[in-house]
Amino acid sequence: MSSVVFNGTSFVLPLIIIAIGGIYSERSGVNNLALEGFAGFGAFSGGLVVVLLSGASANPPAWMFWLSFVGAALGGALFSLLHALLCLRFKANHILSGVALNVIALALVGLLIEQVNLDLYHTFSNFFQLPEAARLTLPNLSSVPLVGMLFANAYAYAPVITLLVLLAWYVLNHTSFGLRLRACGDNPEAVAATGVDVVRVRYQAVAISGALAGFGGLCFAYSQHGRISTTIFMGFGYLAIAGMVLGNWRILPTIGACAVFGFARSVVQHLALRYGIEYSMLDLAMAVPYALVLLLIVYGYRSSTPPKALGKHYEKNRL
Amino acid sequence: MVAQDCPNIIEFRHVSKSFSDVAVLKDINLTVRRGEIFALLGENGSGKSLLMNMVFGGCQPDSGEILICGEPVQISSSAEAFAHGIGMVSQHYSLISNATVLENVILGHEPTRRLMRLIPYLDTSKAARKVQELCNRYGLNLSLYDRIDYLSEASQQRVEILKMLYRDSELIILDEPTAMLAPQEAERLLAIVRKLQDDGRTVILISHRLEDVKQVADRCAVLRQGRLTGVFKVFATSTRRLAERMVGHALDFELERQPAVFGDVVLSVRNLCVEYSENKSTLHDISFDVRAGEVFAVIGVAGSGESALADAIAGLAPADSGSIRLMDRDITQDSVRARSLAGMAYIPDDRRNKGLFVGLPISDNLVTKSYFQPPYSKGAFLQRGEFRRYAVQFLKRYGLQLAKGIYTPTYQMSDSEQQMLIIGRETDLDARLIIFSKPTQGLDIGTTLEIRRRVVAERDQGKAVLLTTNELDGALACADTIAIIHDGAFVKVGPANEMSRQELGEYMMGVHR
């Protein structure tokens, strides 16, 4: 039971933060299919920070753990600016730009890892080693029955994500920046008519999206792999998109949708191990959350209301 | 901010503007005085909205200058217009649909405070007081925490006005403010306009509704084809004279109407109920007959079910119960095409979306209801040559003069031209029943009169005509029988000549049930 909860939360939390990244971008009116790429490139950037600062040593010091997240957020934001530039400056089709960036991220990460290893450390290697993930146990809460499982030996990023989620919710709903961002996704002409720079708001929204996705991507790298290689591209970015759509582009329902996916996954994983499912069948079992996505989309999509101006280019001075 | 004491709040000197070599505004000289209600009259495409868009930063004049309080100004964005104390409510409201009234009003000027001098947050309470106070003073009757998409058209318009007031606009420009409103709502808007004037604000009213201008405006300017044809004192000028100035020739306001000769029942609707979720209107238990040679008008405020009824009869919205008969055939479950082939023509309300494929050429648009039949198809093959032959003949017959003939892109045609295209296409079908759904909505007076004449001409040929409309004038000018629809149900049906405007308006607003 506790392993289900542990695996569940360590999977759900990063998924939520990536999905919220998607919400920021899409609520401002910029389609974001590039979450997968943002998350992967962000994780790579986190790994790069580790490798650059601590050399190619097999075991980087533990304090690198926190620094790597700063790198991931910055790298994700930087990479997402490509998407913003393509969509906002060059008026590219948002969907195409997103898909292209996913492919580019995968190729770029593979290439850069090998080049960095070769040029700086003269080794042939296709991964960056990450430090051991910091864990923490909240002494008082962890002894509470049931709820305590959430606070025992959890990944140290878990409380940080919880804070980030609260902050993201607050900014989107209770600040003037959040109001402007939401307004840009509904009626950009109206926003412009009040003297607000729509394009600027959208750039900021996409950058936030990249930073959050990068952060989430690195969390996955820690919990799923412990190292950075091209295998970090496992489709969790797409799962986050599904969570955002089923959550109707609102933060609280999106958290719910992501939780359903994550816990479904960990329950299946638990059952599979417990009943000793053949290794070849394990992949099939792991596809359950994705099948769940399909089911939910069929039954849940009807009530979904995407932001009105999603994917539409905003033209100044259109008469 | 505009200085308080200048007599001329805004002045145009030799303003001209052209788009791709077509002159749209030619040498406009105009002065608007502080504190007056100034009307700008003109037909669709006369340039009146463009002129005002210049004031609101939408575009710049090619030559000439705009002066505010005697100072030449360059206005390149709406933010700059606000800074000059100018606000504009355009025809297409620019509101955030999923936000509240208050959020819409403060957007762009959000009062932000910092919690513990650190965490920024929206301080809505102070703004809410100011906005509520403005609401009360001008009788806007809005609830600040309602979401925009749940508000009526008229309420949304008042939110736009509220936005301008919150920004302290001295000069408020209203673009066709009463075009979409029911008579009583229009009255209410005009009352608000008067109150704005009483408070010392200046209002420019862009309109092609002469009655509004006559009611509130002090002076009015008439534009025709981009030229100023004159500035008039409204109280000293007759409505007819203004209209003729607008159109450029004498107008025949009175429709020639033969006395009605009713034939057999063509359309018979019994106990029709429709759940029509798309535009939130439903129909309850509607029954009526339309006879050959009769114009049956269904009139109601926008969204009261008048469009839904037309859609239901044309087959766009499936009936949940009840029956629709066309002559001796039950068409309740028939497809749109089957109904069309059974003798029904339909001119839908939303011409750009339901009436035309604006991305397709004119020749394709003219055969959307007959392309699958000879001579337009032979077997599975389209006869494009026939399409074009018909289109050429069509434009000649209806006197539609387009820049590139049948090769004019449909989306480049004006609203009037598009509507005449649809009306021509549908009347050519030679159907027994012809449905006009809000045929004159948003069109200028010349086209409006022409369309009304066409409606009556169809009836005089012995067709059954169903007309749905939001405009009392249109219904009174054409109809033999009027049904008033409110909240999806008929509240009154009777011969047109037995109903007064007052009575009709009250039924439309749901005063009597």
Side-chain angles (χ1 to χ4, degrees), chain A residues 27 170 173-177 179-180 182-184 186-196 307-308 317-319, chain B residues 19 50 53 57-59 76 78-79 82 93-98 103 106-110 112 119-122 167:
Chain A
R27 285 299 290 270
Y170 179 83
N173 294 300
H174 294 280
T175 65
S176 68
F177 173 70
L179 173 61
R180 290 171 179 198
R182 285 181 282 131
C184 281
D186 189 271
N187 189 345
E189 281 80 18
V191 179
T194 64
V196 175
K308 263 201 196 134
N317 290 346
R318 201 175 53 196
L319 269 180
Chain B
F19 286 107
L50 181 69
N53 268 316
C59 60
S76 58
S78 43
F82 286 135
Y93 308 143
S94 60
L95 295 171
I96 312 302
S97 62
N98 60 8
E103 284 176 322
I106 62 175
L107 181 69
H109 290 61
E110 305 90 349
T112 294
I119 308 159
Y121 71 100
L122 267 179
R167 285 162 174 69

